[in-house]
Amino acid sequence: MTEIRAACSPGEMRIAVTDHDTLLDAAIWRPGCPDGLEDWHVVRVQKAAPALGGAFVLLEDGQSGFLSTRDTLVEGALTAARVSRAAQNGKGLRLRRADMPVEIPSGPKLLERGPTPLDELADRYPEAPVFVDDPGIAAKLPVRLRPRLQRCQQAFDGALEADFDSLGSPEADLGLLTASIFPTPALVAIDLDSTGAPDFKGNVAAFPELARQIRLRNLSGTILLDPAGVKTRKRPALIPFLREALAGDPLKPDVLGATPSGLLELTRPRRRPPLHELLSSPHGQALSILRTILRENRPGRTLTASIGLVTALENDPDALADFTSRRARPLDLVLDPNAPPASWSLS
């Protein structure tokens, strides 16, 4: 039976779609700091950039983004747009033109939020019940999802917790092969390897699990794959098998072929941030700290941490308020400018 399981903690909902013991999809929703995908805005044109195919624009919250359009835009003018790609990989929001509202505001304004990651997965699996372990989250769910809501004590059991955590690892077990995943600002490199003697059939057999890992981790943009133990001249023959493995991906990756050096090249649309970026960012690490304190029932009320961690928590007051409510006492934040980026202590 397919189920959507939502594990709630301060500032964050970790979402897993499962079919018995198989993880089908995964996502993270941070209500206090949404990624903004498909949000509807009125934006102000900052600088036209026709050579880049659009213009830089300013949003209500002060964020900048790039609006892709062939239309001529006047600097300082207001126009409507929707976010087509969330900020990620060191790059800002990308937007596309949208209809102007009936009542035009006097400046940049957020008009409507786009669907959350939970909304997307609920639409993708319309028959699946939604198990949530926080009764207070019901108020944040769309009315249309509430009939599917099932309360539970713990949305993730130990096995599902381990499966979700493994998605932040740079290595993935594909059965006969192991994938080592190396995200860079320009692309994602994936190296397939084996302790045994990999061959053509071994790579083909690993592709379905590789496709599942790409989808679960939301690896996007240009992806270069180095097969294991297959001679360069034979690697183009792997392309049809890779396409078949990726055929069920809702983002419809495009397998481009093999490079002259024998790397298999594919592209997958960038929409939401990849999971590794969400987990490893200062915000992701800070929310993990709050989850750890609650799970292990650690004593103390003063969190001393690095600049990045403290700033991330200060920028997400919803997470701190939720933490205080769950723990029944506030948390004082102390910034240690000399602390390593991931360093923290509770006293």
Side-chain angles (χ1 to χ4, degrees), residues 176-177 193-203 228-229:
L176 297 175
L177 302 179
D193 203 358
S194 173
T195 55
D199 56 12
F200 190 95
K201 291 183 178 180
N203 283 268

Side-chain angles (χ1 to χ4, degrees), residues 46-334:
Q46 285 183 300
K47 183 174 179 59
L52 299 177
F56 294 96
V57 297
L58 182 68
L59 281 65
E60 180 182 19
D61 62 1
Q63 279 194 89
S64 293
F66 186 80
L67 173 60
S68 298
T69 180
R70 295 181 180 178
D71 299 336
T72 300
L73 298 176
V74 178
E75 294 180 9
L78 296 174
T79 188
R82 283 194 182 270
V83 176
S84 57
R85 187 188 73 191
Q88 57 189 277
N89 200 31
K91 300 176 181 177
L93 297 172
R94 292 293 293 264
L95 303 98
R96 65 180 187 275
R97 293 293 294 273
D99 295 333
M100 286 291 280
V102 175
E103 296 184 11
I104 300 174
S106 59
K109 186 173 182 60
L110 170 64
L111 302 174
E112 180 182 85
R113 285 288 185 192
T116 70
L118 180 61
D119 292 327
E120 282 192 357
L121 291 177
D123 289 342
R124 193 175 297 167
Y125 302 92
E127 304 300 322
V130 181
F131 289 88
V132 179
D133 56 13
D134 180 3
I137 200 67
K140 297 181 180 180
L141 297 181
V143 174
R144 65 185 181 85
L145 291 185
R146 292 177 190 174
R148 297 167 59 182
L149 187 65
Q150 302 283 334
R151 303 283 176 81
C152 63
Q153 286 294 110
Q154 191 171 8
F156 283 14
D157 60 16
L160 185 53
E161 192 82 42
D163 284 346
F164 200 97
D165 287 347
S166 72
L167 299 178
S169 169
E171 291 193 348
D173 183 2
L174 308 181
L176 297 175
L177 302 179
T178 299
S180 297
I181 302 167
F182 303 96
T184 75
L187 53 85
V188 177
I190 302 178
D191 178 42
L192 300 187
D193 203 358
S194 173
T195 55
D199 56 12
F200 190 95
K201 291 183 178 180
N203 283 268
V204 171
F207 282 169
E209 178 59 21
L210 175 63
R212 189 176 79 98
Q213 290 291 329
I214 288 173
R215 176 173 173 173
L216 291 174
R217 296 162 182 260
N218 193 26
L219 301 177
S220 306
T222 298
I223 301 174
L224 294 180
L225 172 64
D226 187 14
V230 179
K231 293 182 178 179
T232 300
R233 60 183 175 82
K234 293 184 177 181
R235 291 184 174 188
L238 290 167
I239 294 299
F241 298 100
L242 184 58
R243 284 200 178 105
E244 181 181 0
L246 291 163
D249 190 320
L251 293 190
K252 305 300 180 186
D254 187 9
V255 181
L256 303 178
T259 69
S261 61
L263 300 177
L264 308 187
E265 183 177 3
L266 63 133
T267 60
R268 190 169 183 270
R270 296 185 192 270
R271 287 179 59 76
R272 297 194 188 275
L275 210 63
H276 67 262
E277 189 170 306
L278 291 173
L279 294 171
S280 64
S281 69
H283 190 206
Q285 292 177 5
L287 296 182
S288 178
I289 290 169
L290 298 185
R291 191 165 62 249
T292 297
I293 294 171
L294 289 176
R295 183 180 64 245
E296 298 179 1
N297 195 25
R298 295 195 183 187
R301 59 173 296 162
T302 301
L303 177 66
T304 303
S306 63
I307 295 174
L309 295 177
V310 170
T311 301
L313 289 176
E314 289 176 340
N315 290 336
D316 191 350
D318 287 0
L320 288 174
D322 189 7
F323 177 87
T324 299
S325 175
R326 291 169 183 260
R327 201 167 180 243
R329 61 180 183 271
L331 184 69
D332 297 325
L333 301 178
V334 175

